Amino acid sequence: MIDVARLRRLLLLALLGCASPALAYPDRNLDIIVPFSAGGGNDVFIRALQPALERELGTHLVVRNLAGGGGAVGLTHVARLPADGYTLAVVSDGLLTQVAMGNVDFVPEDFDFVAKILEEPYLLAVSRDSPYPDLATMIEDARGGKRIKIGVSGVGSSAYLTAGAIGDALGIDPILIPFDGGTETVSAVMGGHIDAVVLGGAELRSALSSQRVRALATSYPERSASLPEVATFIEQGIDYQTSVFRGLAAPKGLEDSHRARLVEALQRATEDAGFHTTIGHLGTDLAPLYGEELDEFVLTLAERMNQQAEQLTQ
């Protein structure tokens, strides 16, 4: 006589034995490398996403700040790791800029881009005690012979290229001064060591909210809903617009099943109400891309960064 209960147990064990290992992914903590110091835009982004993403993946994210070289140190570290799905990097335009500037040994093809999650504008900002109440005053002073010192986060970073492009658009020749991260850059402008900063909106949000710094212009084509008081460059007669993205990437060779699991979790995590509230407060905008659309976005942006780098080094 057939023991139905025993047969069911055997069938269940057989199914579990045949199941793809990907079904168990992830079965341990994930390391998330932030290639900039704590408090910067990349760091703020992943820590805002962390609670919801941990819930969706069913594991812990161990966020590690590995700063240096405008993101080069942390990104180089990740590019050399095994593609096992257990280490991801927080990425932004900075990865593509480092390649365009020739500052690193890796190329974009050394990474599998998993997701683009956020976009935010770059802001040109000054301290609350700055002698520049508006953009026009700064331009007038710079064209009159003053070398404006603009701080950015990282040598050869996307902020570095953007600041150079903004200088070209304004018709001025600023002195670009790189710092290890957004926190250090903001501290420098508040301390009067530099005249202005070019940083992403999230990196400046706290200082803007406390009125320790003032934004003179935003690089969005239209005013941001989260920063409605900040005029665009275009509004002020300057033909310039751009934005910065933030997302996640893995070392090249990520298994398709692991990528699919990460994308599914990210899609759910970015729907979290708490995450939406946080990014709204940070002055960033949800703009997710995955798969082929993301790959096309990265390719197009890399070409633009190459062009900007060539212009800056001429």
Side-chain angles (χ1 to χ4, degrees), residues 222-306:
E222 298 178 353
R223 293 197 186 199
S224 170
S226 57
L227 295 166
E229 72 283 1
V230 183
T232 67
F233 284 105
I234 292 174
E235 278 183 77
Q236 300 178 76
I238 306 300
D239 185 18
Y240 184 78
Q241 64 179 71
T242 191
S243 62
V244 57
F245 86 91
R246 305 199 189 279
L248 290 169
K252 187 67 176 181
L254 182 66
E255 290 185 22
D256 290 343
S257 58
H258 289 180
R259 182 201 294 265
R261 177 74 179 96
L262 289 169
V263 168
E264 177 188 29
L266 284 164
Q267 288 173 328
R268 290 179 177 274
T270 54
E271 294 174 355
D272 180 76
F275 178 63
H276 277 249
T277 299
T278 300
I279 64 173
H281 290 160
L282 292 174
T284 58
D285 299 291
L286 187 64
L289 281 180
Y290 308 96
E292 291 182 2
E293 288 186 332
L294 173 60
D295 292 339
E296 184 177 342
F297 168 84
V298 170
L299 178 61
T300 301
L301 184 58
E303 292 174 351
R304 193 180 83 194
M305 291 297 182
N306 288 337

Side-chain angles (χ1 to χ4, degrees), residues 120-126 135 138 148-154 157-167 170 172 174-179 181-183 185-186 189 194-204 214-219 233 240 242-244 246:
E120 63 185 272
Y122 279 106
L123 301 177
L124 175 64
V126 297
L135 184 60
M138 176 182 284
I148 303 295
K149 296 178 182 177
I150 297 181
V152 297
S153 54
S157 64
S158 56
Y160 187 91
L161 280 188
T162 298
I166 288 173
L170 298 180
I172 66 175
I175 299 172
L176 304 184
I177 302 177
F179 295 86
T183 302
T185 313
V186 173
V189 77
I194 52 179
D195 299 301
V197 297
V198 169
L199 291 171
E203 294 174 298
L204 282 165
R214 294 182 286 107
L216 301 184
T218 172
S219 68
F233 284 105
Y240 184 78
T242 191
S243 62
V244 57
R246 305 199 189 279

Side-chain angles (χ1 to χ4, degrees), residues 126-129 190 204-215:
V126 297
S127 74
R128 63 184 173 192
D129 300 320
M190 290 192 301
L204 282 165
R205 192 63 178 181
S206 176
L208 287 170
S209 297
S210 62
Q211 299 184 345
R212 290 172 293 170
V213 302
R214 294 182 286 107

Side-chain angles (χ1 to χ4, degrees), residues 14-67:
L15 287 170
L16 290 173
C18 296
S20 167
L23 294 178
Y25 172 79
D27 61 3
R28 63 179 190 269
N29 294 345
L30 268 67
D31 282 342
I32 308 292
I33 303 299
V34 179
F36 293 96
S37 57
N42 286 355
D43 183 69
V44 170
F45 150 63
I46 193 59
R47 293 185 191 277
L49 183 61
Q50 185 174 5
L53 187 55
E54 286 182 333
R55 183 182 67 241
E56 295 301 331
L57 287 173
T59 192
H60 295 292
L61 306 182
V62 182
V63 179
R64 306 180 190 276
N65 294 89
L66 189 55

